[in-house]
Amino acid sequence: MPLLGVNIDHIATIRQARRGDEPDPVRAAHEAELGGAGIITVHLREDRRHIQDHDVERLRPFIKVRLNLEMAASAEMIGIARRIEPHMCTLVPEGRLEVTTEGGLNVAGDAKRLKAAVAKLKAAGIVASAFIDADPDQIQASADAGFDACEIHTGPYAAAFAKAGGDFSKPNLKAQLDTIAEAGEFIRACGMRFNAGHALNYHNVGPIAALPEIAELHIGHSIVSRAVYTGMREAVREMNRLIENAASGHHHG
Ligand code: PXP
């Protein structure tokens, strides 16, 4: 069964609405762990719109599972990562005006810089993951740059799922899922870890969780949204139940 990485950025979004001290992402991470999170993810953005530096610093010794730091491949962020030493860094493109990460990293178009960034992370013992679109050229470039893992951007799949109402007889939805499955096979053939994430939710997660050899699913907004009603622990538990059912073959997409 793939590990569930719970992204708690939006706990910090709620806190920043008042620039106060609640809700505290560290407490949310604890609740997510109690619900079965295998990884806690935070995105330290250049504009610090949600997660702050001190959150990452406090999370690192506090959490018992893996810490995944999402970040741009900037000198500032690489320095922070090397100081805090999360288990993994996921490199993402970052646009100042975007509401959330909009597309995958262009590893093929920025190979030299990213290869240097990966080398710096790996020298500090940090696992390096590339958040990319399901594109063979990007996968090959990620392998060439030395990445240990690729996280495939599931946004286009999620959009197709919503449009098709989850009906896999609709050609575009089936095509999006097949594209991710093929990307996963190629990632594994390149010797990297196959992860996926972005815009996954309680409705669309099953077919992705059922893909062969998928190692990690990274999910944020849908879990935090549900946690508003059910609490974080139960929201994570329910997502893990769906993943486990799908991964063990109970899902019929
Ligand atoms: N993976 C990556 C690389 C992301 O940038 C994000 C959003 O921060 C996620 C996963 C989680 O996406 P969502 O909040 O839509 O579940």
Side-chain angles (χ1 to χ4, degrees):
M1 163 180 174
L3 281 179
L4 172 56
V6 177
N7 181 316
I8 55 170
D9 290 349
H10 298 306
I11 299 294
T13 300
I14 298 171
R15 179 190 61 192
Q16 295 311 106
R18 287 293 177 275
R19 309 234 180 282
D21 57 9
E22 66 177 5
D24 184 352
V26 175
R27 287 191 182 212
H30 184 236
E31 286 294 316
E33 283 187 350
L34 292 175
I39 303 164
I40 300 294
T41 298
V42 288
H43 184 176
L44 186 63
R45 295 187 75 104
E46 191 181 315
D47 63 10
R48 307 299 198 270
R49 69 174 72 156
H50 38 53
I51 292 293
Q52 307 296 306
D53 300 56
H54 65 79
D55 293 324
V56 189
E57 278 157 21
R58 288 187 306 132
L59 280 165
R60 177 66 184 85
F62 182 84
I63 66 171
K64 302 290 182 281
V65 298
R66 302 174 185 184
L67 178 64
N68 171 34
L69 179 60
E70 260 182 44
M71 57 185 219
S74 65
E76 182 201 14
M77 289 299 159
I78 302 269
I80 291 171
R82 285 169 59 92
R83 181 165 53 78
I84 295 179
E85 296 184 336
H87 173 81
M88 179 165 89
C89 281
T90 301
L91 299 184
V92 298
E94 214 177 274
R96 279 164 200 264
L97 298 179
E98 69 188 7
V99 173
T100 181
T101 311
E102 282 169 353
L105 196 59
N106 183 4
V107 186
D110 201 3
K112 202 167 157 225
R113 191 174 73 96
L114 291 170
K115 192 171 180 174
V118 169
K120 283 189 185 138
L121 293 173
K122 287 172 81 168
I126 301 167
V127 175
S129 174
F131 178 63
I132 55 171
D133 294 333
D135 171 349
D137 291 344
Q138 297 296 347
I139 296 167
Q140 186 63 57
S142 301
D144 294 344
F147 280 100
D148 304 294
C150 291
E151 178 180 335
I152 293 297
H153 188 346
T154 47
Y157 158 80
F161 188 101
K163 196 164 178 212
D167 178 356
F168 279 84
S169 68
K170 295 277 193 318
N172 186 40
L173 177 53
K174 176 79 169 59
Q176 291 292 347
L177 183 62
D178 290 347
T179 302
I180 296 173
E182 283 158 25
E185 271 178 40
F186 189 34
I187 290 166
R188 298 287 301 139
C190 291
M192 296 182 288
R193 215 170 145 79
F194 168 34
N195 303 335
H198 212 284
L200 294 176
N201 60 37
Y202 294 85
H203 304 286
N204 65 25
V205 73
I208 300 293
L211 292 175
E213 311 256 14
I214 189 154
E216 298 168 15
L217 296 174
H218 292 276
I219 309 180
H221 190 269
S222 63
I223 292 177
V224 174
S225 299
R226 182 162 292 202
V228 169
Y229 305 110
T230 69
M232 183 58 113
R233 201 183 305 184
E234 180 52 31
V236 174
R237 202 178 273 154
E238 176 61 14
M239 186 61 84
N240 248 337
R241 262 198 292 268
L242 294 171
I243 292 170
E244 188 175 7
N245 283 345
S248 61
H250 297 310
H251 182 84
H252 302 288

